[in-house]
Amino acid sequence: MTARQMKLGAFLWATGHHIAAWRHPKAHVTAGIDIDHYIQLARTAEAAKFDMVFCEDAAGLREANIGIASQTSRSIGFEPISLLSALAVQTSRIGLVSTASTSYNEPYGLARTFLSLDHLSGGRAGWNLVTSASPIEAANFGATGLKPHADRYERAREFAGVVTGLWHGKASGHNGQSFSVRDPLDLPRSPQGAPVMVQAGASDVGRDLAARTADVVFTAAQTFEEAKAFYDDLKGRLPAYGREPDDIKIMPGVAPVVAETEAEAREKYEELQELIPDDVGVALLSSYLSISDLWRYPIDGPLPELPESEGMKSRQALVIEQSRRDGLSIRQLARHFAGARGHWRIVGTAAQVADELQARFEGGAADGFNVMPSYFPGELDAFATLVVPELQRRGLFRTEYQGRTLRDHLGLKRPV
Amino acid sequence: MDNGATMHLAVSLADPSLETGLEFSRLAGFVQKAEAAGLDMVLLADAAPASESEAANKRMPFEATTLLAALATVTSRIGLVAAASTSAHQPYNLARRFASLDVISHGRSGWNATMTQAPREAANFSRPEGFSPNDFRRRSEEYIGIVQGLWQGWDADALLFDQSGGRFHDPEKMHLLEHKGEFFSVRGPLNVARSPQDTPVLVLSGLQESDFDIATSTADVILLDGGLVEGATERYDDIRRRVTACGRDPDAVKVLTNVALIADSKPAAVAERLEKEFRARGCDGFNILMPEQLSALDDFVGLVLPELRRRGLVRESYRGKTLRSHLGLAGGGDR
């Protein structure tokens, strides 16, 4: 029995996770139209033995204000299913996980598409279920606007049940509230039993859905206490669904800025922060808070009182809590969240980053981490060449893949 | 440039005729062989199963758009066209998938839409009653208009990549669709850059007589069933007349006829047959439906194709890099 080791995801996103990444001289500014760039990133992550690459997704623009959108690199990019299908045959071991919405797809088509990706990759596919909280996306799929949070999750629960049933070869003849499906899938069974199910919703209803169906949960947590509380809460919900604690891997996002020395790392971080235009930072903060008129308030003053939104409830609460706790102004909050998008930021040397990850991993607050490099390819390379060897030296991360499928890497049971 | 005498050739990878247990590497080898032979494109079928037992016996373990993405990374010149059903996808998602495939393939992708409703498919997509033929036709027309509109949401020069000036794209060169129709409401734009070949190629098949107005106003390629038929010349002329009536250049639409390869017929006789219909102006080329074994492609490219080339009907090699340029369609300029 080998010691428990952490799971690592390489979260690929646009030119980088930092909102101003694309302006950095070392970022690959044409990432969104360059497939060879993504093939190289996936190979870098695979050479470093990451469990998976992960692509987030939205079926629409990220930002309603076109002027703001035009100052970021996030309005164009690859559609992730096609992107991962291309990566599937250009890699051989690393897992390939993509987000897809339960609000704007049908379960039969989604199950079939991910199963095809699973066959192309020899059992390395995963689906990150989202219900889609953006009204911008909703406008691409009808005139009725964004559905309420509870309705979206009701649909998602039925959707997830149909998809897993189809993957397990059990669910032909479904006739439910939102969906009906007559036939089984017309593709052979998955090489890993079924593609891996991932979720990221952190609201109460989101956690219940994860406890019922997810193999992996991505989450955003700033402090150890928040991470630990989430971890304990979610694992505590598993027995009610007949599942064991190890059946779910909880992987908080982490946005590291790493360099040979701490001073270099700080310099690198400040360099990025300086590239954020104020209006872009405030717009991004507004979207997390699900309000449209944050720009009306003084930028060096505190956050105004906010009503609870139908959008991303959990992210909103996280921002508000941090603003109260640290007494941050709108500008400070905007820069802080623009940088890491509400995720946990570590700036330092490989040893310092490894110390922090180890503390959360061994302290029972994480099973692994979803790594969000500030810009690509440089910051993924830095994590792969500096932090991964440090984790391996400490026995915290694999030095070779042990299996061939994503379930193998994650240590997940194969569904029967 | 297309000299007008070039016979266009596609080869179809349709599931029911395929061998069991196909792996990606074998399919890749097939497409690479077609590329080495200089064929315009490979069509990847994605037919919905006609029955539960057919679903269980399907041999191709891949959905067509995902397969296309993978094939794009192991080829460099040949066009790759995937079938995708209007019942199975929302138009925004489908437009986005193909726009992305076209960036991945550097302008070699196409969407094969069928105007025929697969009887069982709707039942797997929460519409057990399906659509009436009339509704299906009107919905398809609206759907295709949305997809083509979304493909044009970003101007070719919209992306600035101006790092020091902080301008990633020019907001004036990004256009909302603002479509509100009978079946769909789609605001747009896509969040994928403009295609390297302007827009992915639209291949329409499964046409009834009543679909020809939709096809001639929207399609880049019209795929006709029935092999070599009497009256092909009249049908071809009629299509070109209708294309012109839509205000389009008659050469903006290529008409390909499906032809089943018969394994034991002589190469010269096959070439003769194809030449006859082509010279009679019955079509712009052919879509070769593969028989039982993938290796049948060897006979076609090794024996029939040299015959066609000897007769001056098929170009010797690729002249451009995009599918549009192979097909002699506008918008195929290499950037």
Side-chain angles (χ1 to χ4, degrees):
Chain A
M1 183 77 191
T2 53
R4 175 175 169 256
Q5 292 189 321
M6 62 176 69
K7 312 302 172 192
L8 290 179
F11 187 164
L12 308 184
W13 205 38
T15 47
H17 286 270
H18 195 283
I19 188 75
W22 74 274
R23 301 187 62 191
H24 194 280
K26 287 184 185 159
H28 189 64
V29 69
T30 58
I33 54 171
D34 185 354
I35 186 66
D36 292 333
H37 167 73
Y38 276 93
I39 291 172
Q40 191 51 52
L41 295 182
R43 287 178 175 167
T44 298
E46 184 169 74
K49 318 298 176 196
F50 273 80
D51 291 78
M52 63 182 107
V53 295
F54 168 60
C55 293
E56 198 243 22
D57 191 40
L61 298 181
R62 303 282 176 166
E63 168 58 55
N65 181 322
I66 304 303
I68 298 288
S70 72
Q71 298 177 65
T72 79
S73 66
R74 293 171 182 180
S75 297
I76 60 106
F78 292 96
E79 180 275 333
I81 305 277
S82 47
L83 174 62
L84 292 183
S85 299
L87 298 182
V89 297
Q90 295 294 323
T91 55
S92 58
R93 302 300 279 272
I94 195 162
L96 304 162
V97 178
S98 171
T99 296
S101 171
T102 54
S103 293
Y104 309 124
N105 286 290
E106 283 279 322
Y108 191 88
L110 184 140
R112 189 166 178 263
T113 305
F114 275 90
L115 187 53
S116 180
L117 175 62
D118 211 31
H119 282 292
L120 280 170
S121 62
R124 297 183 283 131
W127 168 40
N128 176 38
L129 179 160
V130 297
T131 67
S132 301
S134 159
I136 304 175
E137 290 177 88
N140 290 326
F141 298 90
T144 53
L146 186 62
K147 297 218 166 48
H149 189 267
D151 292 5
R152 295 202 310 269
Y153 269 91
E154 187 63 40
R155 179 179 159 106
R157 193 175 307 123
E158 185 184 342
F159 196 118
V162 176
V163 168
T164 48
L166 287 166
W167 283 342
H168 298 175
K170 287 172 191 155
S172 58
H174 173 84
N175 197 349
Q177 189 171 331
S178 299
F179 308 109
S180 63
V181 173
R182 182 159 68 184
D183 295 321
L185 288 177
D186 56 346
L187 307 184
R189 185 77 189 259
S190 157
Q192 57 177 339
V196 169
M197 287 278 279
V198 182
Q199 274 177 57
S203 65
D204 189 55
V205 53
R207 291 181 197 204
D208 262 337
L209 183 60
R212 181 197 291 253
T213 60
D215 300 308
V216 173
V217 172
F218 293 151
T219 168
Q222 296 278 332
T223 65
F224 177 86
E225 289 70 26
E226 282 165 21
K228 174 81 177 151
F230 178 85
Y231 189 94
D232 290 342
D233 176 88
L234 191 57
K235 299 258 174 173
R237 293 176 193 238
L238 294 178
Y241 299 99
R243 306 182 71 196
E244 292 167 26
D246 233 21
D247 291 349
I248 276 193
K249 308 299 172 188
I250 298 177
M251 300 174 65
V254 60
V257 178
V258 62
E260 298 278 1
T261 67
E262 188 177 342
E264 278 175 72
R266 296 247 153 251
E267 199 177 316
K268 193 150 74 171
Y269 180 58
E270 288 309 322
E271 195 183 354
L272 279 163
Q273 293 294 86
E274 285 302 314
L275 294 172
I276 306 173
D278 279 335
D279 54 350
V280 171
V282 171
L284 197 70
L285 186 60
S286 303
S287 74
Y288 289 151
L289 294 168
S290 302
I291 60 167
S292 55
D293 61 348
L294 193 59
W295 56 271
R296 289 179 197 281
Y297 298 89
I299 193 164
D300 290 313
L303 272 189
E305 290 298 325
L306 298 167
E308 195 176 274
S309 75
E310 278 302 332
M312 302 166 83
K313 289 188 173 184
S314 41
R315 189 64 61 89
Q316 183 190 46
L318 193 111
V319 175
I320 292 170
E321 193 193 314
Q322 176 145 19
S323 85
R324 304 283 181 261
R325 186 179 65 223
D326 300 341
L328 299 179
S329 70
I330 290 175
R331 189 200 308 268
Q332 287 168 322
L333 263 183
R335 287 211 164 173
H336 182 79
F337 279 93
R341 304 193 299 126
H343 284 268
W344 176 35
R345 160 80 64 201
I346 313 173
V347 182
T349 64
Q352 287 171 321
V353 172
D355 284 348
E356 299 260 359
L357 298 181
Q358 185 169 4
R360 291 204 184 182
F361 177 66
E362 291 182 343
D367 296 313
F369 303 95
N370 202 17
V371 179
M372 305 165 60
S374 298
Y375 59 84
F376 293 109
E379 287 290 86
L380 178 64
D381 293 342
F383 193 91
T385 57
L386 299 173
V387 181
V388 167
E390 180 64 27
L391 294 171
Q392 288 168 333
R393 260 193 298 282
R394 298 179 188 196
L396 292 167
F397 190 59
R398 70 172 70 84
T399 52
E400 286 301 335
Y401 289 110
Q402 300 300 313
R404 300 216 73 96
T405 69
L406 178 54
R407 282 185 187 276
D408 290 339
H409 305 337
L410 293 169
L412 292 168
K413 288 176 194 148
R414 191 188 169 92
V416 285
Chain B
M1 270 308 291
D2 194 2
N3 62 13
T6 300
M7 179 191 289
H8 294 288
L9 289 174
V11 60
S12 230
L13 203 46
D15 181 63
S17 64
L18 289 174
E19 304 148 61
T20 50
L22 274 176
E23 289 172 7
F24 175 73
S25 58
R26 292 209 48 221
L27 294 173
F30 174 89
V31 177
Q32 285 161 346
K33 201 177 290 170
E35 181 172 71
L39 302 188
D40 288 342
M41 58 186 173
V42 173
L43 297 176
L44 308 171
D46 200 56
S51 67
E52 188 163 340
S53 67
E54 191 182 308
N57 290 322
K58 188 168 183 291
R59 296 156 186 179
M60 172 95 89
F62 310 117
E63 176 275 340
T65 63
T66 51
L67 178 61
L68 195 165
L71 289 170
T73 70
V74 297
T75 54
S76 60
R77 299 299 281 274
I78 194 164
L80 300 165
V81 176
S85 151
T86 53
S87 303
H89 303 264
Q90 286 279 335
Y92 188 91
N93 292 338
L94 182 138
R96 187 169 171 239
R97 174 77 49 81
F98 279 93
S100 183
L101 290 171
D102 217 26
V103 180
I104 290 170
S105 66
H106 304 287
R108 297 185 288 126
S109 298
W111 170 37
N112 178 14
T114 179
M115 298 298 291
T116 305
Q117 189 176 189
R120 275 186 86 87
E121 186 169 48
N124 291 324
F125 290 85
S126 306
R127 286 183 186 276
E129 71 289 359
F131 297 96
S132 74
N134 238 325
D135 281 0
F136 187 78
R137 184 175 306 112
R138 287 203 316 285
R139 184 177 177 276
S140 298
E141 183 174 17
E142 186 181 337
Y143 193 115
I144 288 167
I146 292 166
V147 169
Q148 291 189 319
L150 287 169
W151 282 342
Q152 297 171 61
W154 293 82
D155 293 347
D157 57 352
L159 301 181
L160 302 172
F161 303 124
D162 174 9
Q163 289 174 297
S164 57
R167 296 171 75 225
F168 187 81
H169 68 80
D170 182 345
E172 301 292 314
K173 293 182 175 174
M174 185 199 86
H175 311 286
L176 300 179
L177 185 68
E178 300 284 17
H179 173 87
K180 287 188 174 61
E182 181 184 0
F183 296 92
F184 303 103
S185 172
V186 181
R187 183 148 188 261
L190 287 186
N191 50 1
V192 180
R194 186 64 173 254
S195 160
Q197 61 172 339
D198 193 37
T199 61
V201 169
L202 175 64
V203 179
L204 280 187
S205 59
L207 305 177
Q208 310 298 309
E209 175 56 33
S210 49
D211 300 321
F212 273 84
D213 283 336
I214 300 172
T216 51
S217 66
T218 61
D220 298 304
V221 175
I222 291 176
L223 201 55
L224 297 176
D225 288 326
L228 308 172
V229 294
E230 289 297 313
T233 304
E234 290 72 21
R235 187 175 65 178
Y236 181 75
D237 287 342
D238 176 51
I239 289 172
R240 288 174 68 87
R241 257 195 311 276
R242 292 195 201 207
V243 171
T244 310
C246 298
R248 305 175 75 194
D249 180 336
D251 288 328
V253 179
K254 303 298 173 190
V255 178
L256 301 193
T257 306
N258 286 326
V259 175
L261 266 196
I262 297 153
D264 56 359
S265 55
K266 292 199 162 54
V270 175
E272 182 76 34
R273 230 164 45 113
L274 298 181
E275 177 173 21
K276 195 171 161 211
E277 177 161 336
F278 183 71
R279 295 259 188 236
R281 294 181 55 81
C283 63
D284 296 301
F286 301 93
N287 175 38
I288 311 297
L289 306 172
M290 293 301 299
E292 292 297 320
Q293 305 289 319
L294 285 187
S295 57
L297 183 65
D298 292 336
D299 292 343
F300 184 78
V301 304
L303 303 171
V304 180
L305 198 56
E307 270 296 322
L308 294 171
R309 289 208 166 110
R310 202 176 52 72
R311 294 163 193 235
L313 295 165
V314 177
R315 55 173 165 63
E316 290 296 322
S317 59
Y318 295 112
R319 292 174 192 145
K321 288 182 175 168
T322 66
L323 177 52
R324 282 184 185 277
S325 70
H326 304 339
L327 290 168
L329 295 169
D334 300 327
R335 279 200 299 196

